[in-house]
Amino acid sequence: AKSEPYRLIAGASATITRDSFPRVAAKLSAPMATDVLELRGVDAGKVSITKPCYSGNLLADVELTGPTVVAICRPSSFEPPAA
């Protein structure tokens, strides 16, 4: 990702992503978010997401700043692509 201008590296929540994405974020010195329910915007310098906190009793809108952001998304929160 250092040689390409990727703004967001995202993956579905699974064992492989929960194990490897923190390492990817550390290697890139990038901010990381887990349990993402909604990607609200990917702009220059920031990524806006919605994620649960307090055991899901509160939804927080979070902005992550940096050249690249790493996110693990809940797959059931997104609509499947049209066939």
Side-chain angles (χ1 to χ4, degrees):
K2 290 270 186 191
S3 62
E4 296 290 331
Y6 296 115
R7 289 288 310 120
L8 176 66
I9 299 172
S13 182
T15 303
I16 189 72
T17 54
R18 287 191 302 269
D19 287 344
S20 62
F21 273 34
R23 294 182 180 116
V24 170
K27 189 77 170 168
L28 297 173
S29 297
M32 182 179 161
T34 59
D35 291 333
V36 174
L37 297 175
E38 179 183 2
L39 291 169
R40 294 186 300 116
V42 179
D43 300 317
K46 71 177 180 178
V47 174
S48 301
I49 63 164
T50 300
K51 64 175 281 148
C53 53
Y54 297 113
S55 299
N57 292 321
L58 178 69
L59 296 179
D61 292 332
V62 180
E63 288 185 357
L64 302 169
T65 58
T68 303
V69 174
V70 179
I72 299 176
C73 306
R74 287 187 180 177
S76 61
S77 299
F78 294 87
E79 292 293 322

